Amino acid sequence: MANKFELSDSSVVVVIGSGAGGGTLANELAQKGVNVVVLEAGGRHEIEDFVNDEWGSFSQISWLDKRTTSGSWRVAKDFAGLPAWIVKAVGGSTVHWAGASLRFQEHEFKTRTTYGELAGANLLDWPITLAEMEPYYDRAEDKMGVTGTHGIPRLPGNNNYKVLAAGAKKLGYTDFHTGNMAINSQPRDNRGSCQQIGFCFQGCKSGAKWSTLYTEIPKGEETGRLEVRSNAQVLQVQHDDKGLVNGVLYADKDGNQHVQKARVVCVAGNSIESPRLLLNSASSMFPDGLANSSGQVGKNYMRHMTGSVYAIFDKPVHMYRGTTMAGIVRDESKLDTKRGFVGGYEMETLSLGIPFMAAFLDPGGWGKSFASAMEGYDHMAGMWLVGEDMPQETNRITLHASEKDAYGLPVPNVHFDDHANDVAMREHAFGRGSALYDAIGAKRTIHTPPYPSTHNLGTNRMSAEARDGVVNKHGQTHDIKNLFVSDGSQFTTGGAENPTLTIVALAIRQAEFIADQMQKKEI
Amino acid sequence: MRPATSKRNFNRRRFLAGTSAIVAGSAMFATAGGILIGPNAAWAIAPQAITTAEAATLVEMTRALYPHEKLDDAIYAKVVASLDEKAVKDPALKALLQTGAADLKAGKWDDLDADAREAALKAIDTTPFFQTVRGECVTGIYNNPDVWKIYGYEGASAELGGYLHRGFDEITWPDQA
């Protein structure tokens, strides 16, 4: 198919990636009259292509290109070649995300001020406040149809939620419900309501869950101003002799390389690929990679403190039936340093099918004890623990010294060590998770270590001062005014909340800024 | 590897002429024709890379790794069949499986009870042989819809309208807990 926009068309905005950040930004710009080319490394799998099959879907949509790991985090031992569990497809990780859409709390935008100096933590306040973000959170929630906001009813609680809620009540928690979910509880925005299919992570077969794949992207395409090129792996962002970016080198599905000229480039390839691309774009003018005068590109990699608790009961649960993550206890998300750590965590329902449970319940586990836990599968309830982890300079994405990808470019290495605060928080969360299930008679609880990272954040962080980070409060790189970062790698710190809503809100805000700056001929 | 009912590479006359032998310590039969047959001929596999005796040991090993009383040997035999199929094209894997099975035998595997077998496997749990067989089990056993049925996982639901009208919120006991 011929391209809609010419490769030589230097008036377009090129967006790299089509997930929560890139897909939203691209549509918002197109709606404002801007011509946009989205380059997406993955293929285009529509709703009818999705499969209710954990391993089948995993090989269909996951980002499985070679990556290496290092550091003392358990993922490096359990899943050495799979540091992150994210999507390579049009729609990015909004294809497999669970739908949890939570706003940051006020103090989570100013952690350096609130938490103070914490040894080993590279804490920094965001250059934006909750008050500045609120109008954009509003628009993001409305766009995504988030339950419990804008008069949208919450989802009904499934079996797994009933167990969580009963335990929470028994334990004295007060702030629990079926969540703020970007999943239709009633028909909205030409999409139907949730059918309780239970395969949220495998791509929503009913389209009730918001994904850029079938919301933002087709809406943008309808304007005639947005072109999505799938199977287009970006290799390099190029610049002119004035130090402004002017094009993007990419390989198409047949491996043929092209340069798409650009007026503005927005990088939204998730927190591993985005810094990798900036580093791989090093030139004689920018020997340490693009936008890296601070040396912060790739650093401060965050992946949220995570863990899961699964509990086996006398009576059946069938937790896999219904919306995977429509259930939350928020009491522990508040800041309360008496618990022995800064930050907070959420407790959210989670379920895996038997195939994934075997791989993730106790990675590497076997023997009588493991087998008996699996035999309790239909009597099992589960929760995911997700909380704020500390940014550390040494947790970072680097270019591998010798391993190369199919195009001869260095693959990314993901290095991570838990901060003492992360460890203390996980211990507390495991304890409270077990206590919740024990309160209603669990026969056995199992503490499951982190899965490969689904929340990858912070590797091109926002900062007020150019020396402290990579981008300013608009996601514009400090060094190159027509180069932007539009994904979760902008996050200065991670908050306790699932990040997608904040990524979408930032993308809406960034689109306003870019369109304004283009109109004023600033970029 | 293939089910014994497949006629490919299956020499029935040789099978009939061969002398069958009970595999020590189990109810499996290994025939001189290269077929491993389960009790009451409920299942059979015909390994191509490894011997039937080696396959029988590996079937027992997979059960010791993931001991489920409700699961028939046929489930475990499928895992071994899959390993054998890969070993046909992978001489290193074939050697790994054969040496591993021989080492188990040398450790008086046949005479060990379930607890002693778990202990014997614990002693080798960092070896490539152990990790290869265990890794195959994770998908080989638990990605098998026959196993899902036994342990109460209903799997794909979209084509049935999801669980909206099929019990997504049916349990009532937590309200009384």
Coordinates of all heavy atoms in Angstrom, one line a residue, chain A residues 52 54-55 156-159 162-163 166 170 194-197 199 205 313 315-318 320-322 353-355 358-359 364-368 370-371 374-375 377-378 440, chain B residues 64-69 115 118 121-122 125 130 134 138-139 142-143 147-148 151-159 161-164 166-171 173-175 177:
Chain A
N52 N -8.4 -16.2 23.1 CA -8.6 -16.5 24.6 C -7.7 -17.6 24.9 O -8.2 -18.7 25.2 CB -10.1 -16.8 24.9 CG -11.0 -15.6 25.1 OD1 -12.1 -15.8 25.5 ND2 -10.5 -14.4 24.8
E54 N -3.8 -18.1 26.8 CA -2.7 -17.3 27.3 C -1.4 -17.4 26.6 O -0.8 -16.4 26.2 CB -2.5 -17.7 28.8 CG -3.7 -17.2 29.7 CD -3.5 -17.6 31.1 OE1 -3.1 -18.7 31.5 OE2 -3.8 -16.7 32.0
W55 N -0.9 -18.6 26.3 CA 0.3 -18.7 25.6 C 0.2 -18.4 24.1 O 1.1 -17.8 23.5 CB 1.0 -20.1 25.7 CG 1.5 -20.4 27.1 CD1 1.1 -21.4 28.0 CD2 2.6 -19.7 27.7 NE1 1.9 -21.3 29.1 CE2 2.8 -20.3 29.0 CE3 3.4 -18.6 27.3 CZ2 3.8 -19.8 29.9 CZ3 4.4 -18.2 28.2 CH2 4.5 -18.8 29.5
P156 N -19.8 -4.5 37.8 CA -20.2 -5.4 38.9 C -19.0 -6.2 39.4 O -18.0 -6.4 38.6 CB -21.2 -6.3 38.2 CG -20.8 -6.3 36.7 CD -20.2 -4.9 36.5
G157 N -19.0 -6.6 40.7 CA -17.9 -7.3 41.2 C -18.0 -8.8 40.8 O -19.0 -9.4 40.9
N158 N -16.9 -9.4 40.4 CA -16.8 -10.8 40.1 C -16.5 -11.6 41.3 O -16.4 -11.1 42.5 CB -15.9 -11.1 38.9 CG -14.4 -10.9 39.3 OD1 -14.1 -10.5 40.4 ND2 -13.6 -11.4 38.4
N159 N -16.3 -12.9 41.2 CA -16.1 -13.8 42.3 C -14.8 -13.4 43.0 O -14.8 -13.4 44.3 CB -15.9 -15.3 41.8 CG -17.2 -15.8 41.2 OD1 -18.3 -15.4 41.7 ND2 -17.1 -16.7 40.2
K162 N -15.4 -10.5 45.2 CA -16.2 -10.8 46.4 C -15.3 -11.2 47.5 O -15.6 -10.9 48.7 CB -17.3 -11.8 46.1 CG -18.5 -11.3 45.2 CD -19.5 -12.3 45.1 CE -20.8 -11.8 44.5 NZ -21.9 -12.8 44.5
V163 N -14.3 -12.0 47.2 CA -13.4 -12.5 48.2 C -12.6 -11.3 48.7 O -12.4 -11.2 49.9 CB -12.5 -13.6 47.6 CG1 -11.5 -14.1 48.7 CG2 -13.3 -14.8 47.1
A166 N -14.7 -9.0 50.9 CA -15.1 -9.6 52.2 C -13.9 -9.5 53.2 O -14.0 -9.2 54.4 CB -15.6 -11.0 52.0
K170 N -13.5 -7.3 56.6 CA -13.1 -8.0 57.9 C -11.9 -7.4 58.5 O -11.7 -7.3 59.8 CB -12.9 -9.5 57.6 CG -13.0 -10.4 58.7 CD -14.5 -10.7 59.0 CE -14.7 -12.0 59.7 NZ -16.0 -12.5 59.6
C194 N -18.9 -4.6 29.1 CA -18.0 -5.8 29.5 C -18.9 -7.1 29.6 O -19.9 -7.1 30.2 CB -17.4 -5.5 30.8 SG -16.4 -6.9 31.4
Q195 N -18.4 -8.1 28.9 CA -19.0 -9.4 28.9 C -18.4 -10.4 30.0 O -18.7 -11.6 30.0 CB -19.0 -10.1 27.5 CG -19.6 -9.2 26.4 CD -21.1 -8.9 26.7 OE1 -21.8 -9.9 26.7 NE2 -21.4 -7.7 26.9
Q196 N -17.5 -9.8 30.8 CA -16.9 -10.7 31.9 C -16.2 -11.9 31.2 O -16.3 -13.0 31.7 CB -18.0 -11.1 32.9 CG -18.7 -10.0 33.6 CD -17.8 -9.2 34.5 OE1 -16.8 -9.7 35.0 NE2 -18.2 -7.9 34.8
I197 N -15.5 -11.6 30.2 CA -14.8 -12.7 29.4 C -13.6 -13.3 30.2 O -13.3 -14.5 30.2 CB -14.3 -12.2 28.1 CG1 -15.6 -11.9 27.2 CG2 -13.4 -13.1 27.4 CD1 -15.3 -11.1 25.9
F199 N -10.4 -12.5 29.8 CA -9.1 -12.5 29.1 C -8.7 -11.1 28.8 O -8.4 -10.7 27.6 CB -9.1 -13.4 27.9 CG -9.1 -14.8 28.2 CD1 -10.3 -15.5 28.5 CD2 -7.9 -15.5 28.1 CE1 -10.3 -16.9 28.8 CE2 -7.9 -16.9 28.4 CZ -9.0 -17.6 28.7
K205 N -11.9 -9.1 23.6 CA -12.7 -9.6 22.4 C -14.0 -8.8 22.2 O -14.5 -8.9 21.2 CB -13.0 -11.1 22.6 CG -11.8 -12.0 22.4 CD -11.2 -12.1 21.0 CE -12.1 -12.9 20.1 NZ -11.4 -13.0 18.7
F313 N -9.0 -21.4 49.4 CA -10.1 -21.5 50.3 C -10.7 -22.9 50.3 O -10.5 -23.6 49.3 CB -11.1 -20.4 50.0 CG -10.6 -19.0 50.3 CD1 -10.0 -18.3 49.3 CD2 -10.8 -18.4 51.5 CE1 -9.5 -17.0 49.5 CE2 -10.3 -17.1 51.8 CZ -9.6 -16.4 50.8
K315 N -13.9 -23.3 49.9 CA -15.0 -23.3 48.9 C -14.5 -22.7 47.6 O -13.5 -22.0 47.6 CB -16.1 -22.4 49.5 CG -16.7 -22.9 50.8 CD -18.1 -22.4 51.0 CE -18.8 -23.0 52.2 NZ -18.4 -22.4 53.5
P316 N -15.2 -23.0 46.5 CA -14.8 -22.6 45.2 C -14.8 -21.1 45.0 O -15.6 -20.4 45.7 CB -15.8 -23.2 44.2 CG -16.5 -24.2 45.0 CD -16.5 -23.8 46.5
V317 N -13.9 -20.6 44.2 CA -13.9 -19.1 43.8 C -14.1 -18.9 42.3 O -14.9 -18.1 41.9 CB -12.6 -18.5 44.3 CG1 -12.5 -17.0 43.9 CG2 -12.4 -18.6 45.8
H318 N -13.4 -19.6 41.5 CA -13.4 -19.4 40.0 C -13.0 -18.0 39.7 O -13.8 -17.2 39.1 CB -14.7 -19.8 39.4 CG -15.1 -21.2 39.6 ND1 -14.5 -22.2 38.9 CD2 -16.0 -21.8 40.5 CE1 -15.1 -23.4 39.2 NE2 -15.9 -23.2 40.2
Y320 N -11.0 -16.7 37.7 CA -10.7 -16.3 36.3 C -11.9 -15.8 35.6 O -11.8 -15.3 34.5 CB -10.1 -17.5 35.6 CG -11.0 -18.7 35.7 CD1 -12.1 -18.9 34.8 CD2 -10.9 -19.6 36.8 CE1 -13.0 -20.0 34.9 CE2 -11.8 -20.7 36.9 CZ -12.8 -20.8 36.0 OH -13.7 -21.9 36.1
R321 N -13.1 -16.0 36.2 CA -14.3 -15.6 35.5 C -14.4 -14.1 35.7 O -14.5 -13.6 36.8 CB -15.5 -16.3 36.0 CG -15.6 -17.8 35.8 CD -16.9 -18.3 36.4 NE -16.9 -19.8 36.3 CZ -17.8 -20.5 37.1 NH1 -18.6 -20.0 37.9 NH2 -17.7 -21.8 37.0
G322 N -14.6 -13.4 34.6 CA -14.9 -11.9 34.7 C -13.6 -11.0 34.6 O -12.5 -11.5 34.5
G353 N -4.9 -17.7 34.3 CA -5.4 -19.0 34.0 C -4.4 -20.1 34.4 O -3.3 -19.8 34.9
I354 N -4.7 -21.3 34.3 CA -3.8 -22.4 34.7 C -2.5 -22.4 34.0 O -1.4 -22.5 34.6 CB -4.5 -23.8 34.7 CG1 -5.4 -24.0 35.9 CG2 -3.4 -24.9 34.5 CD1 -6.0 -25.4 36.0
P355 N -2.5 -22.1 32.7 CA -1.2 -22.1 31.9 C -0.2 -21.0 32.5 O 0.9 -21.4 32.7 CB -1.6 -21.7 30.5 CG -3.0 -22.2 30.4 CD -3.6 -21.9 31.7
A358 N 0.9 -21.7 36.2 CA 2.0 -22.7 36.3 C 3.4 -22.0 36.1 O 4.4 -22.4 36.8 CB 1.9 -23.8 35.3
A359 N 3.4 -21.0 35.3 CA 4.7 -20.3 35.0 C 5.1 -19.3 36.0 O 6.2 -19.0 36.2 CB 4.6 -19.7 33.6
G364 N 10.0 -21.5 38.6 CA 10.9 -22.5 38.9 C 10.4 -23.5 39.9 O 11.1 -24.5 40.2
G365 N 9.3 -23.3 40.4 CA 8.7 -24.2 41.5 C 8.3 -25.5 40.9 O 7.9 -25.7 39.8
W366 N 8.4 -26.6 41.8 CA 8.0 -27.9 41.4 C 7.8 -28.7 42.7 O 8.0 -28.2 43.8 CB 9.0 -28.6 40.5 CG 10.4 -28.7 41.2 CD1 11.3 -27.7 41.2 CD2 10.9 -29.8 41.8 NE1 12.4 -28.2 41.9 CE2 12.2 -29.5 42.3 CE3 10.5 -31.1 42.0 CZ2 13.0 -30.4 43.0 CZ3 11.3 -32.0 42.7 CH2 12.6 -31.6 43.2
G367 N 7.4 -29.9 42.6 CA 7.3 -30.8 43.8 C 5.9 -30.8 44.3 O 5.0 -30.2 43.8
K368 N 5.7 -31.6 45.4 CA 4.4 -31.8 46.0 C 3.7 -30.5 46.4 O 2.5 -30.3 46.2 CB 4.6 -32.7 47.3 CG 3.8 -34.0 47.2 CD 3.9 -34.8 48.5 CE 5.3 -35.0 49.0 NZ 5.3 -36.0 50.1
F370 N 4.1 -27.4 45.3 CA 3.7 -26.7 44.1 C 2.5 -27.3 43.5 O 1.5 -26.7 43.1 CB 4.8 -26.6 43.1 CG 4.5 -25.8 41.8 CD1 4.7 -24.4 41.8 CD2 3.9 -26.4 40.7 CE1 4.4 -23.7 40.7 CE2 3.5 -25.7 39.6 CZ 3.8 -24.3 39.6
A371 N 2.5 -28.7 43.3 CA 1.4 -29.4 42.7 C 0.1 -29.2 43.5 O -0.9 -29.0 42.9 CB 1.8 -30.9 42.5
M374 N -1.5 -25.9 42.8 CA -2.1 -25.9 41.5 C -3.5 -26.6 41.5 O -4.4 -26.3 40.9 CB -1.2 -26.5 40.4 CG 0.0 -25.7 40.0 SD -0.3 -24.1 39.4 CE -1.2 -24.5 37.8
E375 N -3.5 -27.7 42.4 CA -4.8 -28.4 42.5 C -5.9 -27.6 43.2 O -7.0 -27.9 43.0 CB -4.5 -29.7 43.3 CG -3.7 -30.7 42.5 CD -3.3 -32.0 43.2 OE1 -3.6 -32.1 44.4 OE2 -2.6 -32.8 42.6
Y377 N -6.6 -24.7 42.3 CA -6.8 -23.5 41.4 C -8.2 -22.9 41.4 O -8.4 -21.7 41.5 CB -6.4 -23.9 39.9 CG -6.7 -22.8 39.0 CD1 -5.8 -21.7 38.9 CD2 -7.8 -22.8 38.2 CE1 -6.0 -20.7 38.0 CE2 -8.1 -21.7 37.3 CZ -7.2 -20.7 37.3 OH -7.5 -19.6 36.4
D378 N -9.2 -23.8 41.4 CA -10.6 -23.2 41.3 C -11.1 -22.8 42.7 O -12.2 -22.2 42.8 CB -11.6 -24.2 40.6 CG -11.7 -25.5 41.4 OD1 -10.9 -25.8 42.3 OD2 -12.5 -26.4 41.0
I440 N -10.7 -14.2 56.3 CA -11.9 -14.9 55.9 C -11.7 -16.3 55.7 O -12.4 -17.0 54.9 CB -12.6 -14.2 54.7 CG1 -11.6 -14.0 53.6 CG2 -13.3 -12.9 55.1 CD1 -12.3 -13.7 52.2
Chain B
A64 N 7.0 -37.2 39.2 CA 7.6 -36.9 40.5 C 7.8 -35.3 40.6 O 7.8 -34.8 41.7 CB 9.0 -37.6 40.6
L65 N 8.1 -34.7 39.5 CA 8.2 -33.2 39.5 C 6.9 -32.5 39.8 O 6.8 -31.6 40.6 CB 8.7 -32.7 38.1 CG 10.2 -32.9 37.8 CD1 10.4 -32.6 36.3 CD2 11.0 -31.9 38.6
Y66 N 5.8 -33.0 39.2 CA 4.5 -32.4 39.4 C 3.5 -33.5 39.7 O 2.7 -33.9 38.9 CB 4.1 -31.6 38.1 CG 5.0 -30.5 37.9 CD1 6.1 -30.5 37.0 CD2 4.9 -29.3 38.6 CE1 7.0 -29.5 36.8 CE2 5.7 -28.2 38.4 CZ 6.8 -28.3 37.5 OH 7.6 -27.2 37.4
P67 N 3.6 -34.0 41.0 CA 2.8 -35.2 41.3 C 1.3 -34.8 41.5 O 0.9 -34.2 42.5 CB 3.4 -35.6 42.6 CG 4.0 -34.4 43.2 CD 4.4 -33.5 42.1
H68 N 0.5 -35.3 40.6 CA -1.0 -35.0 40.7 C -1.7 -36.4 40.6 O -1.6 -37.1 39.5 CB -1.4 -34.2 39.5 CG -1.0 -32.8 39.5 ND1 -1.4 -31.9 40.5 CD2 -0.1 -32.1 38.7 CE1 -0.8 -30.7 40.3 NE2 -0.1 -30.8 39.2
E69 N -2.3 -36.8 41.7 CA -2.9 -38.1 41.7 C -4.0 -38.2 40.6 O -4.2 -39.3 40.1 CB -3.6 -38.3 43.1 CG -2.6 -38.8 44.1 CD -3.2 -39.1 45.4 OE1 -4.4 -39.4 45.4 OE2 -2.5 -39.0 46.4
D115 N 8.6 -39.7 48.1 CA 9.4 -38.7 48.8 C 10.9 -38.8 48.5 O 11.5 -37.8 48.3 CB 9.2 -38.9 50.3 CG 7.9 -38.4 50.8 OD1 7.2 -37.6 50.1 OD2 7.4 -38.8 51.9
E118 N 11.5 -37.3 45.1 CA 11.5 -35.8 45.2 C 12.9 -35.3 45.7 O 13.5 -34.4 45.2 CB 10.4 -35.2 46.1 CG 10.3 -33.7 46.0 CD 9.0 -33.1 46.6 OE1 7.9 -33.7 46.4 OE2 9.1 -32.0 47.2
L121 N 15.5 -35.7 43.0 CA 15.4 -34.6 42.0 C 16.0 -33.3 42.6 O 16.6 -32.5 41.9 CB 14.0 -34.5 41.5 CG 13.5 -35.7 40.7 CD1 12.0 -35.5 40.4 CD2 14.3 -35.8 39.4
K122 N 15.7 -33.1 43.9 CA 16.2 -31.9 44.5 C 17.7 -31.8 44.4 O 18.3 -30.7 44.2 CB 15.7 -31.9 46.0 CG 16.1 -30.7 46.8 CD 15.2 -29.5 46.4 CE 15.9 -28.2 46.9 NZ 15.5 -27.0 46.1
D125 N 18.7 -30.4 41.0 CA 17.7 -29.4 40.4 C 18.4 -28.2 39.7 O 17.7 -27.3 39.2 CB 16.7 -28.9 41.4 CG 17.3 -28.0 42.6 OD1 18.6 -27.9 42.6 OD2 16.6 -27.5 43.4
F130 N 17.7 -31.5 34.4 CA 16.5 -31.2 35.3 C 15.8 -30.0 34.7 O 14.5 -30.1 34.6 CB 17.0 -31.0 36.7 CG 15.9 -30.6 37.7 CD1 15.2 -31.6 38.4 CD2 15.5 -29.3 37.8 CE1 14.2 -31.2 39.3 CE2 14.4 -28.9 38.6 CZ 13.8 -29.9 39.4
R134 N 11.9 -30.1 33.5 CA 11.0 -29.3 34.3 C 10.3 -28.2 33.4 O 9.1 -28.0 33.4 CB 11.7 -28.6 35.5 CG 10.7 -28.1 36.5 CD 11.3 -27.0 37.4 NE 11.7 -25.8 36.6 CZ 10.8 -24.9 36.2 NH1 9.5 -25.0 36.5 NH2 11.2 -23.9 35.5
V138 N 6.1 -27.4 32.4 CA 5.3 -26.2 32.7 C 4.2 -26.0 31.7 O 3.1 -25.8 32.0 CB 6.2 -24.9 32.9 CG1 5.3 -23.7 33.1 CG2 7.1 -25.1 34.1
T139 N 4.7 -26.1 30.4 CA 3.6 -25.9 29.4 C 3.0 -27.3 29.0 O 1.8 -27.4 28.7 CB 4.2 -25.3 28.1 OG1 5.5 -26.0 27.8 CG2 4.5 -23.8 28.3
Y142 N 0.5 -28.1 32.1 CA -0.5 -27.1 32.4 C -1.1 -26.3 31.3 O -2.0 -25.5 31.5 CB 0.1 -26.2 33.5 CG 0.5 -26.9 34.8 CD1 1.9 -27.1 35.1 CD2 -0.5 -27.4 35.6 CE1 2.2 -27.8 36.2 CE2 -0.1 -28.1 36.7 CZ 1.2 -28.3 37.1 OH 1.6 -29.0 38.2
N143 N -0.6 -26.5 30.1 CA -1.2 -25.9 28.9 C -2.1 -27.0 28.2 O -2.4 -26.8 27.0 CB -0.2 -25.2 28.0 CG -0.9 -24.2 27.1 OD1 -1.9 -23.6 27.5 ND2 -0.4 -24.0 26.0
V147 N -6.1 -31.2 31.4 CA -5.7 -30.9 32.8 C -6.6 -29.8 33.3 O -7.0 -29.8 34.5 CB -4.2 -30.5 32.9 CG1 -3.8 -30.0 34.3 CG2 -3.4 -31.7 32.5
W148 N -6.9 -28.8 32.5 CA -7.7 -27.6 32.9 C -9.1 -28.2 33.5 O -9.6 -27.7 34.5 CB -8.0 -26.7 31.8 CG -6.8 -26.1 31.1 CD1 -5.5 -26.1 31.6 CD2 -6.8 -25.3 29.9 NE1 -4.7 -25.4 30.7 CE2 -5.5 -24.9 29.7 CE3 -7.8 -24.9 29.0 CZ2 -5.1 -24.2 28.6 CZ3 -7.4 -24.2 27.9 CH2 -6.1 -23.8 27.7
Y151 N -8.8 -29.6 37.0 CA -8.6 -28.7 38.1 C -9.5 -27.4 38.0 O -9.2 -26.4 38.6 CB -7.1 -28.3 38.2 CG -6.4 -29.6 38.6 CD1 -5.4 -30.2 37.8 CD2 -6.7 -30.2 39.9 CE1 -4.8 -31.4 38.2 CE2 -6.1 -31.3 40.3 CZ -5.1 -31.9 39.4 OH -4.5 -33.1 39.8
G152 N -10.5 -27.5 37.2 CA -11.6 -26.4 37.2 C -11.2 -25.1 36.6 O -11.7 -24.1 37.1
Y153 N -10.5 -25.2 35.5 CA -10.3 -23.9 34.7 C -11.0 -24.1 33.4 O -10.8 -25.1 32.7 CB -8.8 -23.7 34.4 CG -8.4 -22.6 33.5 CD1 -8.9 -21.3 33.8 CD2 -7.7 -22.8 32.4 CE1 -8.5 -20.2 33.0 CE2 -7.3 -21.7 31.5 CZ -7.7 -20.5 31.8 OH -7.4 -19.4 31.0
E154 N -11.9 -23.1 33.1 CA -12.8 -23.3 31.9 C -12.3 -22.7 30.6 O -12.8 -23.0 29.6 CB -14.2 -22.7 32.2 CG -14.9 -23.5 33.4 CD -16.0 -22.6 34.0 OE1 -15.7 -21.8 34.8 OE2 -17.2 -22.9 33.7
G155 N -11.2 -21.9 30.7 CA -10.6 -21.5 29.5 C -11.4 -20.5 28.7 O -12.1 -19.7 29.2
A156 N -11.2 -20.5 27.4 CA -11.8 -19.6 26.5 C -13.2 -19.4 26.7 O -14.0 -20.3 26.9 CB -11.5 -20.0 25.0
S157 N -13.7 -18.1 26.7 CA -15.1 -17.8 27.0 C -15.7 -16.9 26.0 O -16.9 -16.8 26.0 CB -15.2 -17.2 28.4 OG -14.9 -15.9 28.4
A158 N -14.9 -16.2 25.2 CA -15.5 -15.1 24.4 C -16.6 -15.7 23.5 O -17.7 -15.1 23.3 CB -14.4 -14.4 23.6
E159 N -16.3 -16.8 22.9 CA -17.3 -17.4 21.9 C -18.6 -17.9 22.6 O -19.6 -18.2 22.0 CB -16.7 -18.5 21.1 CG -16.1 -19.7 21.9 CD -14.7 -19.5 22.3 OE1 -14.2 -18.4 22.6 OE2 -14.0 -20.6 22.4
G161 N -19.9 -16.0 25.0 CA -20.5 -14.8 25.6 C -19.9 -14.4 26.9 O -20.5 -13.7 27.7
G162 N -18.7 -14.8 27.1 CA -18.0 -14.5 28.4 C -18.6 -15.3 29.5 O -19.3 -16.3 29.3
Y163 N -18.3 -14.8 30.7 CA -18.9 -15.4 31.9 C -20.0 -14.6 32.5 O -20.5 -14.8 33.6 CB -17.8 -15.6 33.0 CG -16.8 -16.7 32.6 CD1 -15.5 -16.3 32.2 CD2 -17.1 -18.0 32.6 CE1 -14.6 -17.3 31.8 CE2 -16.2 -19.0 32.3 CZ -15.0 -18.6 31.8 OH -14.1 -19.6 31.5
L164 N -20.5 -13.6 31.7 CA -21.5 -12.7 32.2 C -22.8 -13.4 32.7 O -23.3 -13.1 33.7 CB -21.9 -11.7 31.1 CG -22.9 -10.6 31.5 CD1 -22.4 -9.7 32.7 CD2 -23.2 -9.7 30.3
R166 N -22.6 -16.8 33.0 CA -22.1 -18.1 33.3 C -21.3 -18.1 34.6 O -20.2 -18.7 34.7 CB -21.3 -18.7 32.2 CG -22.2 -18.8 30.9 CD -21.4 -19.6 29.8 NE -20.1 -19.1 29.5 CZ -19.0 -19.8 29.6 NH1 -19.0 -21.1 30.0 NH2 -17.8 -19.2 29.4
G167 N -21.8 -17.4 35.6 CA -21.2 -17.6 36.9 C -20.1 -16.7 37.3 O -19.3 -17.0 38.2
F168 N -19.9 -15.5 36.6 CA -18.8 -14.6 37.0 C -18.9 -14.1 38.4 O -17.9 -13.8 39.1 CB -18.7 -13.4 36.0 CG -19.5 -12.2 36.3 CD1 -18.9 -11.1 37.0 CD2 -20.8 -12.2 36.0 CE1 -19.7 -10.0 37.3 CE2 -21.6 -11.1 36.3 CZ -21.1 -10.0 36.9
D169 N -20.1 -14.0 39.0 CA -20.3 -13.5 40.3 C -21.2 -14.5 41.2 O -21.9 -14.0 42.0 CB -20.9 -12.1 40.3 CG -22.4 -12.1 39.7 OD1 -22.8 -13.1 39.1 OD2 -23.0 -11.1 39.8
E170 N -21.1 -15.7 40.9 CA -22.0 -16.7 41.5 C -21.8 -17.0 43.0 O -22.7 -17.5 43.7 CB -22.1 -18.0 40.7 CG -20.9 -18.8 40.8 CD -20.9 -20.1 40.0 OE1 -21.9 -20.3 39.2 OE2 -20.0 -20.9 40.1
I171 N -20.5 -16.9 43.4 CA -20.3 -17.4 44.8 C -20.9 -16.4 45.8 O -20.9 -15.2 45.6 CB -18.7 -17.6 45.0 CG1 -18.0 -16.3 44.9 CG2 -18.2 -18.6 44.1 CD1 -16.5 -16.3 45.5
W173 N -20.5 -17.4 49.4 CA -19.9 -17.6 50.7 C -19.0 -16.5 51.3 O -19.0 -16.3 52.5 CB -19.0 -18.9 50.7 CG -17.8 -18.9 49.8 CD1 -17.7 -19.5 48.5 CD2 -16.5 -18.4 50.1 NE1 -16.4 -19.3 48.1 CE2 -15.7 -18.6 49.0 CE3 -16.0 -17.8 51.2 CZ2 -14.3 -18.2 49.0 CZ3 -14.6 -17.4 51.2 CH2 -13.8 -17.6 50.1
P174 N -18.4 -15.6 50.4 CA -17.6 -14.6 51.1 C -18.5 -13.6 51.9 O -18.0 -13.0 52.8 CB -17.0 -13.8 49.9 CG -16.9 -14.9 48.8 CD -18.2 -15.6 48.9
D175 N -19.8 -13.4 51.4 CA -20.6 -12.5 52.2 C -20.9 -13.0 53.6 O -21.2 -12.2 54.5 CB -22.0 -12.4 51.4 CG -21.8 -12.0 50.0 OD1 -20.8 -11.4 49.7 OD2 -22.6 -12.4 49.1
A177 N -18.6 -14.9 55.2 CA -17.4 -15.3 55.9 C -17.0 -14.3 57.0 O -17.4 -13.2 57.0 CB -16.2 -15.3 54.8

